[in-house]
Every structure is written in structure tokens, then in C-alpha cells.
């Protein structure tokens, strides 16, 4: 059996350090916004070369807190990709604004900057590019458009911790960068966790306040906020893993390289890496017209595969009910029909990749 992700292998390797870190945190008993959360915030900010990072309960809340801290709410429109996890657009609606979907590039599955301008209206206040599957969105033209139209940029980095665009790590380009530490993300904890990074002191202060019931001083509340703190034990685990993230991402890249050569010459569209980008392969996602046959053959051989994502967000029932019929977005819809993600994690072995490729070669 080869799963999509095997978290046991990484825990086996890091067991001693993680168990010790958990033991120390348990001994300290500062469970809410304790020393590990504060230290992880400093370490993640430094990793990105930014002054501020604020932990929160999960990646969805990271997006919601960033939207609220950027002042986005009722009557506003936010441009984003329809080819992503629901949280990207769900949080726009939760903030009271409306998501406006722009189609994606066929090679990276990320928002197509050339299609943004026609979707800008007087109500547009922000763009949320998603660095999907670990490949950076095309930030230079996105930042140009945002500057021209005075839009905020909130990066959804949930799948791309450590990915770089023109030598800069993603999350540091816009007004805020939002991360998820869901266990299967490329930097994952052992429960839920999230973080927002920013160069803007006011946004950082606002997020700190919002994550803690809209309170900067205990029992004084200036906004309707949330209970959305990063858990101290999760922060302790993440502090063990953060120093290894580049190594983990390198291992994913090596696996992707091996997949690429092992699957070359077949009638598949393999994941691309654009010049100037460092893809971290949170997922290894190909496109195939015979996706179901490949998935079935893999399943017969005890190999997992997955479809991320079968329904683009502009066609999700929730948004059809809220906003009525949407115009079609061809690249997203074609991608939803053809994508297939293969097992990918740092500890996946060369022998396993050979076995997976062997099965795919024999699909007729
Ligand atoms: C996982 C994910 C989120 C949400 O993160 P959670 O920690 O699960 O709330 C948001 N956006 C994208 C693209 C994701 O993959």
C-alpha cells in the first residue's frame, strides 16, 4: 500500500525531538499563547525576512483574519482563483464580501494575471492569489495590477511553505501571507494550526487582536473577534520541523524529478515549473484524459491517488445558491475533469515511485 501521504515515516524520524519538545511544553503548562507560539512566530517571520508573524487556529482562520485586518467586508469584492480548496473563497464570504473568480493558467493551475483586469469593478478591494500545489502564482503582474487599482494582496500559501518566486519566499509579496499547518501540508503539525505573515505592523497588530476576541488588553474589546489562537503544543512540534522544511521540500523536488523522468513520453501533462519559480510539490498533480483508468489501475495495485479538485469553486452549490449561475471558466473546468494527484511526501522512496510509474505505463 502506498498512501498519498505517510505521516508515520516523518514522526518515526523525529520522534525523539518531538516527544522532548512536547514534554517540555507540557511541563511549562503555558498552554494558551505560550513561549513556543511566540518563538515560532519569530522564527517563521525570520524565515521569510519579514518583521511580523501571527499564529492562529488554522489556515482558514489565517485567511479570514487577514481579510478582516485588511478592512475587507460587506459590499466588497475579492478576486481569486476558482481552482483551489473551498477555504480560499469561503473566507471571503465569511468576511461579508463576494468572491469573484478568475480563470487559471493551464500549466500551473494558478490564477491567470491576464484575466484579472476585466473582472475589476469599483467594488474590488483585494486579490487572493493561491500558490496551488506548491507552485508560486505569477506575483509580478498581480502586484502591478494591485498597485494600479489600489487593491490589497493576500497570498494563500497553505500549500507552499518555502516555495520561492524570483528568489523570494511566497507570503512576503503582498499585504499578508496565510499559511496552514494542517497535518498533511508540506509544513504540518499534529492537529490544526495556521499563521499570517506581514510586513505591515498595523495588520499584524489587528490580527493579534482579532485572534483573541478583539482584545489587545485583557477584558477590553474593541472589535468582534474570534477565539483563534495557535495551540502551544502544535507550535512546539512546528519548531522541531521548521529548521527541516527546506530539506523536506528538496526531497519533494527530488521525488518530482524522478516522477518526471519515469513518466516522460506518456500522453500526460506533467506539472511544470516556470522559470524563476521554486515549486515545492505539496502535490504532484498531472493532467490525463484517461484519469479514471489510471486511478483504477493504481488502486488495483494498492496505490492511492486523488482528485484535487473535482468541482471548481464557481460551480460549487454554496456559491450557486448565493450568487446564481456563473460564467464558465474553461481552464478550471477542464482541469477539474483531468487532474490526478499521485502520492507525494518527502519520505516517498525511489522504489515506490518506480512502482507507481510502472503501473501508469501499463494503463491502456
Ligand atoms: C488547506 C488549505 C486551506 C485551509 O487550511 P486549514 O488549516 O485546513 O484551515 C486554505 N487554502 C488552501 C489552498 C489549502 O490547501
Amino acid at each position: 500500500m502506498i498512501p498519498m501521504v505517510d505521516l508515520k515515516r516523518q514522526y518515526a524520524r523525529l520522534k525523539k525531538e518531538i516527544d522532548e519538545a512536547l514534554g517540555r511544553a507540557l511541563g511549562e503548562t503555558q498552554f494558551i499563547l505560550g513561549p513556543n507560539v511566540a518563538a515560532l512566530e519569530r522564527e517563521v517571520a525570520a524565515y521569510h525576512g519579514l518583521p511580523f508573524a501571527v499564529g492562529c487556529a488554522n489556515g482558514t482562520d489565517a485567511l479570514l483574519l487577514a481579510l478582516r485586518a485588511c478592512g475587507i467586508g460587506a459590499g466588497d469584492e475579492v478576486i481569486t482563483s476558482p481552482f483551489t480548496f473551498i477555504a480560499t473563497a469561503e473566507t471571503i464570504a465569511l468576511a461579508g464580501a463576494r468572491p469573484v473568480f478568475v480563470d487559471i493558467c493551464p500549466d500551473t493551475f494558478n490564477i491567470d494575471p491576464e484575466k484579472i483586469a476585466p473582472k475589476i469593478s469599483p467594488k474590488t478591494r483585494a486579490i487572493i492569489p493561491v500558490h496551488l500545489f506548491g507552485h508560486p502564482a505569477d506575483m509580478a503582474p498581480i502586484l502591478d495590477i494591485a498597485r494600479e487599482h489600489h487593491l490589497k494582496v493576500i497570498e494563500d500559501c497553505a500549500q507552499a511553505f518555502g516555495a520561492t518566486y524570483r528568489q523570494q519566499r511566497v507570503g512576503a509579496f503582498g499585504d499578508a501571507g496565510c499559511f496552514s499547518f494542517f497535518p498533511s501540508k508540506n509544513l504540518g503539525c499534529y492537529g490544526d494550526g495556521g499563521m499570517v505573515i506581514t510586513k505591515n505592523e498595523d495588520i499584524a497588530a489587528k490580527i493579534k487582536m482579532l485572534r483573541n476576541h478583539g482584545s489587545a488588553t485583557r477584558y477590553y474589546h474593541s472589535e468582534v473577534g474570534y477565539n483563534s489562537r495557535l495551540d502551544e503544543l502544535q507550535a512546539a512540534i512546528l519548531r522541531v520541523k521548521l529548521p527541516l522544511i527546506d530539506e523536506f521540500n528538496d526531497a519533494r523536488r527530488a521525488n518530482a524529478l524522478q516522477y518526471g523522468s519515469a513518466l516522460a513520453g506518456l500522453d500526460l501533462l506533467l506539472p511544470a515549473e516556470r522559470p524563476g519559480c521554486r515549486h515545492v510539490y505539496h502535490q504532484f498533480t498531472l493532467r490525463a484524459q484517461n484519469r479514471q483508468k489510471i486511478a483504477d489501475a493504481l488502486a488495483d495495485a494498492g496505490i492511492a491517488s486523488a482528485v484535487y479538485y473535482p468541482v471548481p469553486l464557481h460551480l460549487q452549490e454554496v456559491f450557486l445558491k448565493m450568487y446564481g449561475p456563473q460564467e464558465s471558466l474553461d481552464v478550471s473546468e477542464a482541469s477539474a475533469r483531468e487532474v490526478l494527484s499521485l502520492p507525494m511526501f518527502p519520505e516517498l522512496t525511489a522504489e515506490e515511485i518506480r512502482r507507481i510509474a510502472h503501473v501508469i505505463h501499463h494503463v491502456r
Side-chain angles (χ1 to χ4, degrees):
M1 181 65 208
I2 307 178
M4 288 298 290
V5 186
D6 183 353
L7 299 177
K8 292 202 173 93
R9 298 185 200 179
Q10 197 168 85
Y11 179 54
R13 173 185 160 192
L14 301 177
K15 183 172 180 2
K16 188 163 167 291
E17 291 93 319
I18 287 176
D19 290 1
E20 278 172 13
L22 283 172
R24 275 195 304 276
L26 290 170
E28 278 160 354
T29 69
Q30 293 194 50
F31 295 123
I32 303 296
L33 296 181
N36 282 291
V37 171
L40 181 72
E41 288 173 342
R42 286 193 298 275
E43 289 157 7
V44 169
Y47 178 84
H48 291 92
L50 290 188
F52 308 106
V54 185
C56 60
N58 53 65
T60 304
D61 282 3
L63 289 162
L64 180 56
L65 290 164
L67 282 159
R68 293 253 341 249
C70 286
I72 284 140
D76 296 336
E77 291 179 358
V78 177
I79 286 173
T80 193
S81 167
F83 198 68
T84 174
F85 182 57
I86 184 71
T88 312
E90 188 181 32
T91 48
I92 296 170
L94 280 170
R98 177 175 175 155
V100 172
F101 297 110
V102 167
D103 211 0
I104 57 171
C105 302
D107 58 332
T108 63
F109 305 110
N110 286 326
I111 193 166
D112 186 342
E114 295 193 355
K115 295 180 180 164
I116 292 177
K119 296 286 183 91
I120 293 176
S121 84
K123 294 179 178 172
T124 310
R125 295 284 311 282
I127 306 174
I128 304 186
V130 183
H131 307 297
L132 197 74
F133 303 147
H135 192 295
D138 193 4
M139 291 310 295
I142 293 171
L143 293 167
D144 286 345
I145 295 165
R147 213 172 293 116
E148 188 185 334
H149 296 271
H150 307 289
L151 308 177
K152 302 282 188 199
V153 175
I154 297 169
E155 300 174 62
D156 184 339
C157 310
Q159 303 189 3
F161 199 106
T164 66
Y165 177 86
R166 301 188 184 171
Q167 317 299 329
Q168 169 65 59
R169 288 173 175 141
V170 299
F173 291 96
D175 298 278
C178 302
F179 293 89
S180 165
F181 304 128
F182 187 85
S184 61
K185 304 285 167 152
N186 69 316
L187 180 61
C189 58
Y190 291 171
D192 279 305
M195 195 166 282
V196 183
I197 63 173
T198 179
K199 46 186 166 279
N200 183 314
E201 187 166 10
D202 295 335
I203 289 176
K206 188 105 192 256
I207 292 174
K208 280 197 166 181
M209 189 255 285
L210 287 171
R211 77 170 170 185
N212 202 19
H213 299 290
S215 167
T217 307
R218 198 175 240 192
Y219 304 126
Y220 290 78
H221 306 271
S222 53
E223 301 266 348
V224 174
Y226 310 88
N227 176 348
S228 182
R229 293 153 318 214
L230 175 60
D231 185 79
E232 178 73 1
L233 298 180
Q234 302 304 335
I237 293 164
L238 287 164
R239 292 187 67 207
V240 174
K241 289 190 172 196
L242 178 63
L244 302 170
I245 185 62
D246 291 334
E247 184 192 315
F248 294 152
N249 285 338
D250 282 339
R252 289 173 181 275
R253 289 174 58 77
N255 292 342
L257 198 68
Q258 193 193 336
Y259 265 132
S261 51
L263 296 173
L266 296 176
D267 191 16
L268 304 169
L269 249 152
L270 296 174
E273 183 180 55
R274 290 219 186 145
C277 292
R278 181 180 139 89
H279 193 334
V280 295
Y281 296 96
H282 173 61
Q283 298 293 346
F284 187 88
T285 303
L286 50 78
R287 277 178 68 167
Q289 267 154 20
N290 59 344
R291 151 176 99 185
Q292 194 56 48
K293 278 190 180 169
I294 297 175
D296 291 345
L298 289 169
D300 286 346
I303 297 163
S305 65
V307 174
Y308 306 121
Y309 294 92
V311 182
L313 301 191
H314 66 293
L315 300 179
Q316 289 284 354
E317 184 182 349
V318 51
F319 294 129
L320 292 176
K321 280 198 294 207
M322 290 173 78
Y323 310 122
Q326 305 271 309
E327 77 173 82
S328 58
L329 298 169
D330 296 341
V331 184
S332 300
E333 289 165 34
S335 300
R337 284 192 297 270
E338 294 181 359
V339 284
L340 189 70
S341 298
L342 302 180
M344 173 56 89
F345 47 98
E347 300 79 12
L348 188 68
T349 67
E351 173 53 28
E352 286 170 323
I353 295 172
R354 267 195 296 277
R355 271 172 54 204
I356 295 165
H358 180 81
V359 171
I360 296 175
H361 269 274
H362 288 84
V363 175
R364 286 290 167 265

